[in-house]
Amino acid sequence: FRDVVHGIVSEIEVMNKLQGDSHIVSYADHLIVEKKDGVGWDIIIRMELLTPLSKYFAKKAYTVQDIVQIGIDICQGLERCQKINLIHRDIKPSNIFVSDNGDYKLGDFGISRQIEKTTLGLSRKGTPLYMAPEVYLGRAYNSTVDTYSLAIVLYRYLNNSRLPFVKAIGRFTQ
């Protein structure tokens, strides 16, 4: 489990670098305590309390303006990511959250990765339905893959949960 703990610590380090951006889930602090029997760790991360996007929209019908605002807010968060050379690589509805005052925030940086001197050979991680073609095909990519994934999220909300580029099977109904 040591690798799992190191992965979580890496995510914590990323969250710490992104502190202060109003469109990225805020990180407060963390504590990692090795268990007394030497088997495993307790990992405690204190973050702001937010509502997942799906739960938020389950209670409130969304409008086109809401979807436009998601795009604006998450793009602002992605600008912050680009400033520290970070690619999120898994933008999807379940990684978007809403604050009490209605700000949309990007979270779950568990598979994000620092951009290295070359982008060749970067891993193919993410959710296939929202994944940019170059990531899916294992080709070189850059931070524009996050913009692509966000566009898929916005498209889906604006089109009754339909995804683009998916061939309809059978008769099309609305």
Side-chain angles (χ1 to χ4, degrees):
F1 294 108
R2 191 168 300 279
D3 288 342
V4 172
V5 172
H6 288 298
I8 292 170
V9 169
S10 293
E11 180 176 352
I12 291 168
E13 289 170 356
V14 167
M15 290 168 30
N16 194 34
K17 288 179 184 178
L18 295 169
Q19 272 186 300
D21 188 289
S22 62
H23 298 295
I24 294 182
V25 176
S26 293
Y27 155 84
D29 57 20
H30 72 281
L31 181 64
I32 299 174
V33 181
E34 190 167 359
K35 293 193 176 184
K36 291 182 181 181
D37 62 7
V39 181
W41 295 263
D42 288 321
I43 302 169
I44 303 155
I45 303 172
R46 190 166 49 139
M47 301 166 58
E48 70 181 308
L49 182 60
L50 300 168
T51 304
L53 186 62
S54 60
K55 286 186 180 181
Y56 181 73
F57 283 156
K59 294 178 182 177
K60 170 195 181 293
Y62 60 85
T63 65
V64 170
Q65 181 55 40
D66 291 323
I67 306 310
V68 168
Q69 194 62 53
I70 290 171
I72 292 168
D73 289 358
I74 301 305
C75 279
Q76 288 176 350
L78 290 174
E79 283 180 329
R80 176 73 178 113
C81 291
Q82 287 178 346
K83 286 180 183 175
I84 64 166
N85 294 322
L86 185 92
I87 303 172
H88 186 281
R89 298 188 305 163
D90 199 23
I91 295 177
K92 58 186 177 184
S94 63
N95 288 339
I96 299 174
F97 301 88
V98 186
S99 70
D100 287 342
N101 64 353
D103 290 328
Y104 297 98
K105 298 183 174 225
L106 183 59
D108 191 359
F109 287 82
I111 63 166
S112 61
R113 177 180 174 137
Q114 291 287 343
I115 299 173
E116 296 175 354
K117 289 185 180 180
T118 176
T119 57
L120 294 174
L122 290 176
S123 62
R124 185 177 133 188
K125 292 185 176 180
T127 304
L129 292 175
Y130 298 95
M131 194 180 288
E134 55 269 37
V135 176
Y136 186 82
L137 296 171
R139 296 183 180 152
Y141 59 87
N142 59 31
S143 62
T144 61
V145 300
D146 286 340
T147 306
Y148 178 94
S149 298
L150 176 59
I152 299 296
V153 169
L154 302 176
Y155 180 96
R156 191 167 189 180
Y157 275 107
L158 292 171
N159 288 281
N160 299 319
S161 291
R162 286 190 297 261
L163 290 165
F165 318 119
V166 177
K167 185 176 178 180
I169 299 173
R171 186 174 168 204
F172 178 77
T173 59
Q174 288 205 28

